[in-house]
Amino acid sequence: MKDSNGTVTKPHYEILDGLRGVAALLVVCYHIFEGYAFAGGEAVIKGINHGYLAVDFFFILSGFVISYAYDSRWTRKDNPLTLKGFFLRRLVRMHPMVILGAIIGTITFLIQGSVQWDGTHIATSAVMLALLAAMFLIPAVPGGHYEVRGNGEMFPLNGPSWSLFFEYIGNILYALFIRRFSDKALKVWTSVLGILFCAFAVFDVSGYGSVGVGWTMDKVNFFGGLLRMLFPFSLGMLLSRTFKPFRINGAFWKCSLLLAAALFVPYLSARIDAQGLTLTLNGAYEFLCISVLFPVIVLAGASGALADGASGKICRTMGEISYPLYIVHYPFMYLFYSWLIEHQLFTFRETWLVAIAVVAWNVLLAWICVRFYETPVRKWLGSKIRF
């Protein structure tokens, strides 16, 4: 296979592409249920209780795929990969949708009336500043001038951009030094990160009762988000380097069901006091998902073969829309949340038709983005930029 520049590339893991799409769809559904909790003032999100863990699954996939695609390119004799080439490739892959997500977020914020959640009106100049910052992935500080929604989000026009912020950091660290690690050094690095992240999750350092950190710019979220990205990203790299395929039939369907089941497990509120330390069962469960279950799913997905044309088409389509779906859906969730609050609606039973329409619209929009924006823009940039 060759990319747009004629460079020979490795075959895609189509099932992993499909699983990325499944995870993105689960994130959208999770945010529907987040709306009910937000509108009702509840601390615990019911339904897809651990839906935010799909982001950690993305980080593992990212480490796996980047290591698989790029590790061998840095040292090859013919046309070796350079830092400039790597960063340009990643920018072309990721940033067009970052810009579009920021623009859509601005439009929906204006439609909503340019008001914070408490009703405070925001000046257009602040909204435009927030748009400019979002387009360059410059995070907002809670309470800052362009933190326009007033709930502390790094990227108040499109909340999920926080994970792209950390994804960029992961890519930079990979290119600068992580890729240079030997397999043994990578194992040590990943183990140390795993120990730190386990302690962070199990001892509930954030105080959230979960690993759902990284979305705002306070200290625990920045350093917690950095750790939350680095551990699964490095684990994904390690899996890629040590991967040995094994036989598994129906991998896409089995892995999709297993991933969904893990995210639907109810919130585990139990806490255990031991020698002056408080351990959270929910944090332990989420760490096990990230460190054990998700790697098994990735390895199974990478090992599986597509049994028929239908599975292959589903995986390719889900893979194509996965990133656009993730990055453009949340601005419409703000509108959905505002509607829930205005009408005092707090359950799926009361709003199931609207909820399904919101999900369907975002899937359709993601497909439109792929066909008429992301793919053409990436091809155009690839033709203009020398990697």
Side-chain angles (χ1 to χ4, degrees), residues 29 32 52 59 79 111 131 159 167 186 198 210 221 229-230 241 265 270 310 316 318 356-357 359 367 379:
C29 295
I32 290 289
Y52 46 84
F59 287 146
N79 192 27
I111 290 173
L131 169 61
E167 176 81 10
L186 183 59
C198 179
S210 73
N221 271 273
M229 177 276 298
L230 275 176
R241 289 191 184 184
V265 168
R316 284 188 291 273
M318 294 295 288
I356 291 173
V359 174
W367 182 85
K379 286 183 177 179

Side-chain angles (χ1 to χ4, degrees), residues 200-241:
F200 185 89
V202 173
F203 296 125
D204 192 20
V205 174
S206 68
Y208 295 165
S210 73
V211 300
V213 294
W215 55 277
T216 187
M217 274 296 287
D218 62 21
K219 290 182 180 179
V220 73
N221 271 273
F222 177 77
F223 291 107
L226 190 61
L227 186 58
R228 184 184 178 187
M229 177 276 298
L230 275 176
F231 170 60
F233 183 88
S234 301
L235 181 57
M237 284 187 60
L238 185 60
L239 293 174
S240 178
R241 289 191 184 184

Side-chain angles (χ1 to χ4, degrees), residues 1 11-24 57-58 61-62 64-65 68 243 245-259 294-322:
M1 298 178 65
H12 279 306
Y13 287 119
E14 286 189 334
I15 292 177
L16 294 186
D17 288 343
L19 291 174
R20 184 184 294 109
V22 170
F57 185 70
F58 291 148
L61 280 178
S62 180
F64 186 94
V65 171
Y68 171 74
F243 171 59
F246 53 90
R247 182 175 178 81
I248 179 170
N249 296 321
F252 172 67
W253 305 107
K254 292 175 182 177
C255 291
S256 296
L257 288 172
L258 187 57
L259 178 61
F294 291 172
V296 169
I297 293 174
V298 169
L299 293 178
S303 296
L306 295 173
D308 54 61
S311 295
K313 186 175 182 180
I314 291 172
C315 283
R316 284 188 291 273
T317 301
M318 294 295 288
E320 285 180 345
I321 71 170
S322 60

Side-chain angles (χ1 to χ4, degrees), residues 114-236:
S114 298
V115 295
Q116 295 184 338
W117 293 113
D118 64 1
T120 302
H121 188 270
I122 299 297
T124 301
S125 60
V127 179
M128 293 301 103
L129 183 58
L131 169 61
L132 183 64
M135 292 173 71
F136 287 93
L137 275 185
I138 301 172
V141 176
H145 180 61
Y146 61 92
E147 197 273 285
V148 293
R149 285 195 187 274
N151 59 347
E153 289 176 287
M154 269 191 193
F155 300 97
L157 296 176
N158 192 12
S161 291
W162 74 264
S163 63
L164 275 299
F165 172 77
F166 285 109
E167 176 81 10
Y168 269 43
I169 293 176
N171 279 242
I172 292 169
L173 295 179
Y174 163 80
L176 293 180
F177 73 92
I178 300 177
R179 66 176 175 86
R180 303 176 189 273
F181 287 168
S182 65
D183 290 354
K184 183 177 181 180
L186 183 59
K187 289 178 182 177
V188 173
W189 166 260
T190 305
S191 297
V192 171
L193 290 173
I195 292 170
L196 293 174
F197 190 51
C198 179
F200 185 89
V202 173
F203 296 125
D204 192 20
V205 174
S206 68
Y208 295 165
S210 73
V211 300
V213 294
W215 55 277
T216 187
M217 274 296 287
D218 62 21
K219 290 182 180 179
V220 73
N221 271 273
F222 177 77
F223 291 107
L226 190 61
L227 186 58
R228 184 184 178 187
M229 177 276 298
L230 275 176
F231 170 60
F233 183 88
S234 301
L235 181 57

Side-chain angles (χ1 to χ4, degrees), residues 335-381:
L335 296 179
F336 178 62
Y337 296 177
S338 180
W339 178 76
L340 292 175
I341 293 170
E342 180 182 352
H343 293 86
Q344 291 292 287
L345 299 169
F346 307 132
T347 66
F348 180 75
R349 180 180 298 177
E350 296 173 289
T351 63
W352 65 271
L353 190 58
V354 174
I356 291 173
V358 170
V359 174
W361 160 248
N362 280 291
V363 171
L364 175 61
L365 179 61
W367 182 85
I368 292 172
C369 289
V370 170
R371 290 292 181 268
F372 301 105
Y373 174 75
E374 186 191 31
T375 300
V377 168
R378 286 172 55 193
K379 286 183 177 179
W380 182 80
L381 290 172

Side-chain angles (χ1 to χ4, degrees), residues 92-107:
V92 168
R93 173 68 183 93
M94 298 168 67
H95 216 76
M97 287 307 307
V98 170
I99 293 173
L100 183 60
I103 293 172
I104 292 175
T106 302
I107 294 170

